[in-house]
Amino acid sequence: MSGGEGAVMAPTTQIDLSIDDDAEFKAELKSDGAARALVIACGALAREIVDFRAMNDFIHLDITCLPAKLHNRPQLIPQAVGDKIRANKGKYHSIYVAYGDCGTGGTLDKVLEEEGVDRIGGPHCYAFYTGQSAFEAITDDDPTSFFLTDYMVRHFDRLIIEGLGLDRFPELRDDYFGNYTNVIYIAQTRDADLEAKAEAAAERLGLGYIYRHVGFGELEAFLETAAASSDKG
Amino acid sequence: MSDDEIDLKALSDDDLVGQMHDDLYDGLKDEIAEAVMILLDRGWEPYKVLTVALVEGMRIVGIDFRDGILFVPEVLQSANAMKGGMTILRPLLAETGAPRVGKMVIGTVKGDIHDIGKNLVTMMMEGAGFEVIDIGINNPVENYLAAIEEHQPDILGMSALLTTTMPYMKVVVEAMKEKGIRDDYVVMVGGAPLNEEFAMAVGADAYCADAAVTVDMAQEIMKRRHNQRGADPRPA
């Protein structure tokens, strides 16, 4: 367990940002039990959400995350999110889901519709970090970019190199990345170390490198709405 | 050759085919190429080598992928091993007039550059006796229509990996309707975020969950088509 880089946490907050196991990242304020809203988030957003919550003092907003590695099998995401909603429905006034469609082909939205729960808009985190229209402009113009977020840069070796088997089979590089031209690092924070890692990642994949600081993008407004809902509740 | 290496030439036909299935599973490209040459030297028809040794081996790989025993990197290694065998067999198959089950045009839709699934389908369909015209990635509707007109396939296959690009399949189907050619072709769609319901919603004839399913469905569809035309669908 770790407090996370730069996160200012209440003493009772539990954090596990590891992607090595199925342990859930969880942030709960137990000091006054006043949290009326819950955000169910993808583990890949965990650190950013915790940081943002701490920076904005959203003490009445609880957060629980599902393992980021569900992205390896997106068809499992709707069920996992649905289970999490049902497990928490009686405990909170409002529940919000911080997932894009994330490759579920609309099946996550069906679950959310049945449960009456909203999610952040967009197909994936790249889009809501960048802003939907800005992201579309990039990809419409040229679909050959591979996007990295802070989370992906931090865990590049684990997620990309090991996850795709490139450590064992480097010859598969062209199968995976042969159609890409650039890595675009859409950074949430300004961090020289991460930027250097991202550039090294691009080089390792044999792709060009573009840096764009986009911050938390539409995730900010989404969390503010959730926090406001908790305060009203 | 080290002591623990297997002398492929010393194996009986049955044992060699079994070894090829294992080598495909393990993604051993050089061994597959060597074994293909051995079988050809023993007088096997190229089509028999393809179907009995390679396609059957990849069918086993496909089952274990579906069951979560193998993952994408391993499947890609297997596919690359099969490509090694196909490189040898393809010209021979053309020479010997191997049976053609049907013809397919396949491509990834506009805005999408992902082709791992499409390439696997292409390889497996070729192995199953289909002529496959692969029009690549990022295809606007015009590319599909032009390929259909030029090649007159039985099947149009469309692939997408992204939630944002998969709706484009409907654009293609609608364009086929507008031209009055939709019912002349079987439209099959596939890709990680797709499902049966989506496939029906865009007006496709079939949703293909993976490469092996695609082959099974395509073969079944071709049989039905041939039966409807009163022809014998079985390869000679």
Side-chain angles (χ1 to χ4, degrees), chain A residues 180-206:
Chain A
Y180 287 101
T181 54
N182 290 309
V183 161
I184 301 183
Y185 173 27
I186 45 171
Q188 281 64 69
T189 54
R190 295 190 188 278
D191 183 320
D193 288 342
L194 284 182
E195 200 177 336
K197 278 189 74 175
E199 191 162 6
E203 190 175 343
R204 185 161 183 187
L205 297 178

Side-chain angles (χ1 to χ4, degrees), chain A residues 26-27 34 37 44 55 59 61 63 66 71 79 81 85 97 121 140 145-146 174 178 189 194 203 212 221 228:
Chain A
K26 199 165 189 179
M55 282 189 293
I59 58 170
L61 186 64
I63 298 162
L66 290 163
H71 281 89
Q79 169 91 44
V81 172
I85 290 171
V97 169
D140 284 353
S145 296
F146 183 73
D174 286 352
T189 54
L194 284 182
E203 190 175 343
R212 290 188 184 198

Side-chain angles (χ1 to χ4, degrees), chain B residues 6-223:
Chain B
I6 296 168
D7 180 3
L8 297 177
K9 286 182 180 166
L11 298 177
S12 68
D13 284 5
D14 284 349
D15 287 347
L16 181 55
V17 167
Q19 186 61 43
M20 288 175 78
H21 294 169
D22 288 347
D23 288 346
L24 268 176
Y25 199 92
D26 294 333
L28 303 177
K29 190 174 185 175
D30 292 344
E31 284 77 357
I32 288 297
E34 183 186 349
V36 165
M37 291 304 296
I38 292 170
L39 288 176
L40 291 171
D41 286 345
R42 290 180 186 176
W44 280 46
E45 289 294 320
Y47 184 70
K48 186 178 174 186
V49 178
L50 175 67
T51 52
V52 175
L54 298 187
V55 172
E56 175 58 17
M58 282 304 289
R59 191 186 67 80
I60 297 165
V61 169
I63 290 168
D64 278 5
F65 177 63
R66 203 180 303 166
D67 292 345
I69 298 166
L70 289 178
F71 296 93
V72 171
E74 288 78 20
V75 173
L76 286 175
Q77 283 293 94
S78 298
N80 286 334
M82 179 163 172
K83 276 184 210 164
M86 289 289 281
T87 302
I88 298 166
L89 293 175
R90 194 173 283 116
L92 302 175
L93 289 164
E95 282 173 20
T96 53
R100 279 282 167 227
V101 179
K103 191 191 278 190
M104 179 187 215
V105 163
I106 190 169
T108 304
V109 298
K110 184 182 177 185
D112 204 322
I113 62 167
H114 299 92
D115 59 4
I116 287 176
K118 172 185 69 64
N119 294 344
L120 283 172
V121 168
T122 297
M123 192 180 66
M124 292 295 283
M125 289 289 283
E126 284 183 344
F130 284 82
E131 182 184 353
V132 183
I133 295 98
D134 181 352
I135 60 173
I137 57 171
N138 192 21
N139 284 290
V141 62
E142 295 80 11
N143 290 10
Y144 286 105
L145 296 177
I148 288 170
E149 188 171 340
E150 180 183 350
H151 300 287
Q152 294 295 311
D154 302 289
I155 299 169
L156 173 66
M158 288 187 281
S159 172
L161 184 75
L162 305 175
T163 302
T164 47
T165 56
M166 64 188 204
Y168 196 79
M169 293 172 175
K170 190 172 177 65
V171 174
V172 178
V173 173
E174 291 301 317
M176 292 171 74
K177 284 182 186 169
E178 280 177 25
K179 284 178 69 86
I181 60 170
R182 168 64 188 87
D183 293 336
D184 298 340
Y185 306 95
V186 175
V187 176
M188 304 178 78
V189 296
L194 275 68
N195 54 45
E196 179 81 30
E197 190 180 347
F198 175 83
M200 296 306 109
V202 298
D205 295 302
Y207 161 64
C208 307
D210 58 42
V213 166
T214 307
V215 170
D216 291 345
M217 294 180 91
Q219 287 173 327
E220 187 58 35
I221 286 167
M222 291 311 298
K223 274 184 192 170

